């Protein structure tokens, strides 16, 4: 496995590769990332991971400085899974002020976009830069960041990138908490409490499978249940899987609806994101 920090060196290393599968990350790798790496191994002969904490996707009051940087441990975890690790500096990725950005579709103003202005634009811009640098045939993103995955997919399709975007399943702890680098910010008591997010989403899914069709009522009940436990709820939303547009009430007994329940909540100082797919 090679660890490369410059774009020129990376391009030289990848120049003769014809089946590159790429997993972009911000490092501090956990089993969720490693499952994406294993998926990438199924899709390419040369597997590249990037590790870059992207300043462009953090708001001024967010955790860019605090975000855990663990390059050595990350590289140890990537042994046997990656052929190349690309770990550039901020200066390598942004040698001059970045004034060119990807303009996103209206769906990027909702959900994460409504709560974290500029986050998805910064994410999409660095993803486009990384895809241009690595030039993979396949790129793998986690379904945990469902809106990110949708936007990256639309980016690849609408900007005609010759890249297949593949979504990897969320990996969870035994009590259901979705793995995330930010989980380590949780106190012991918050960590015990955190499982209630997935339980709430599962409860909504079960209600839908048992015939509940009033999505607004379901969302309201979930928000109230989380708030009653002292959580600050950014959103709980039932959306279409395909475009993330809202569904307030389902019509048509015979129509099949592929939906996803998305939630973002704050438990103490930690922001947790999760989602559950439901087909009814
Ligand atoms: O999901 C992430 O870790 C980041 O948003 C990504 C895709 C690596 C871009 O910085």
């Amino acid at each position: 496995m090679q660890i490369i920090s410059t774009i020129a060196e990376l391009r030289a290393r990848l120049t003769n590769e014809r089946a590159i599968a790429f997993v972009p990350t911000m490092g501090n790798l956990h089993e969720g990332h490693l499952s994406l790496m294993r998926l990438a191994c199924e899709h390419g002969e040369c597997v590249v991971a990037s590790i870059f904490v992207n300043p462009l996707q953090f708001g001024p009051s967010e955790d860019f400085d605090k975000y855990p940087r663990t390059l050595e441990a990350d590289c140890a975890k990537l042994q046997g899974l990656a052929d190349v690790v690309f770990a550039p500096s901020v200066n390598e990725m942004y040698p001059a002020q970045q004034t060119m950005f990807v303009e996103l579709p209206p769906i990027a103003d909702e959900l994460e976009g409504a709560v974290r202005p500029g986050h998805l634009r910064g994410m999409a811009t660095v993803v486009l830069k990384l895809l241009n640098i690595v030039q993979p045939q396949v790129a793998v993103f986690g379904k945990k960041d469902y809106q990110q995955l949708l936007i990256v997919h639309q980016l690849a399709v609408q900007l005609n990138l010759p890249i297949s975007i593949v979504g990897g399943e969320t990996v969870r702890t035994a009590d259901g908490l979705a793995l995330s680098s930010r989980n380590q910010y949780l106190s012991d008591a918050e960590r015990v409490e955190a499982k209630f997010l997935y339980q709430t989403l599962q409860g909504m899914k079960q209600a839908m499978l048992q015939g509940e069709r009033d999505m607004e009522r379901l969302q309201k009940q979930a928000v109230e249940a989380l708030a009653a436990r002292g959580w600050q709820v950014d959103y709980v939303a039932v959306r279409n899987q395909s475009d993330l547009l809202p569904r307030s009430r389902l019509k048509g007994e015979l129509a099949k609806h592929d939906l996803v329940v998305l939630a973002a909540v704050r438990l103490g100082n930690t922001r947790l994101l999760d989602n559950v797919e439901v087909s009814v």
Side-chain angles (χ1 to χ4, degrees):
M1 185 179 86
Q2 272 175 279
I3 302 165
I4 294 177
S5 59
T6 68
I7 295 168
E9 222 187 309
L10 184 75
R11 287 213 164 117
R13 164 63 183 83
L14 298 179
T15 190
N16 292 321
E17 298 290 352
R18 293 286 167 266
I20 300 173
F22 175 46
V23 183
T25 81
M26 297 206 302
N28 197 240
L29 303 182
H30 48 66
E31 191 49 41
H33 297 108
L34 302 185
S35 77
L36 300 182
M37 293 299 302
R38 286 190 275 273
L39 192 54
C41 292
E42 292 171 21
H43 285 274
E45 280 161 22
C46 174
V47 177
V48 180
S50 65
I51 297 179
F52 179 63
V53 185
N54 172 37
L56 229 56
Q57 69 189 75
F58 288 79
S61 58
E62 293 185 349
D63 56 346
F64 175 70
D65 290 332
K66 185 176 144 195
Y67 200 87
R69 286 151 172 93
T70 51
L71 182 61
E72 213 177 304
D74 292 342
C75 289
K77 289 179 187 163
L78 289 171
Q79 286 289 353
L81 289 171
D83 298 292
V84 178
V85 177
F86 178 50
S89 65
V90 171
N91 198 46
E92 182 71 10
M93 289 299 285
Y94 302 113
Q97 194 192 348
Q98 185 79 19
T99 52
M100 183 72 80
F101 294 87
V102 178
E103 186 174 334
L104 299 183
I107 193 61
D109 295 331
E110 299 186 26
L111 304 166
E112 286 304 285
V115 185
R116 302 182 66 192
H119 162 67
L120 290 167
R121 183 175 86 143
M123 176 283 296
T125 302
V126 82
V127 166
L128 183 58
K129 282 163 75 85
L130 288 166
L131 294 177
N132 282 330
I133 292 166
V134 177
Q135 299 190 10
Q137 280 64 48
V138 174
V140 181
F141 293 79
K143 280 194 187 178
K144 178 174 168 289
D145 294 299
Y146 210 90
Q147 191 179 13
Q148 166 172 288
L149 174 59
L150 179 96
I151 287 170
V152 170
H153 189 254
Q154 291 186 349
L155 173 94
V157 170
Q158 295 189 25
L159 298 184
N160 303 93
L161 305 182
I163 303 172
S164 302
I165 304 299
V166 172
E169 295 302 326
T170 301
V171 178
R172 299 178 182 282
T173 56
D175 65 358
L177 178 65
L179 295 193
S180 162
S181 301
R182 290 188 169 104
N183 290 351
Q184 63 193 269
Y185 301 156
L186 294 167
S187 69
D188 290 348
E190 287 166 351
R191 172 61 194 83
V192 174
E193 175 71 10
K195 63 175 181 288
F196 193 67
L197 177 58
Y198 183 57
Q199 284 177 11
T200 303
L201 299 184
Q202 281 294 342
M204 292 175 75
K205 175 174 176 167
Q206 287 313 318
M208 288 157 75
L209 292 175
Q210 283 160 21
E212 174 63 275
R213 292 294 177 265
D214 187 338
M215 301 305 151
E216 270 164 21
R217 180 166 56 203
L218 266 183
Q219 288 165 187
K220 189 165 170 285
Q221 283 168 350
V223 170
E224 284 169 2
L226 291 162
R229 299 180 77 98
W231 299 39
Q232 193 191 313
V233 182
D234 285 343
Y235 58 82
V236 176
V238 181
R239 301 282 173 121
N240 289 324
Q241 286 178 20
S242 59
D243 54 16
L244 289 184
L245 290 175
R247 302 301 299 252
S248 55
R249 191 175 270 279
L250 298 182
K251 299 197 180 73
E253 287 292 306
L254 296 176
K256 185 169 177 289
H257 305 278
D258 289 327
L259 305 172
V260 54
V261 191
L262 306 118
V265 295
R266 285 167 213 266
L267 187 50
N269 292 324
T270 311
R271 190 160 184 274
L272 302 176
L273 216 60
D274 204 351
N275 64 76
V276 167
E277 290 180 321
V278 195
S279 292
V280 289

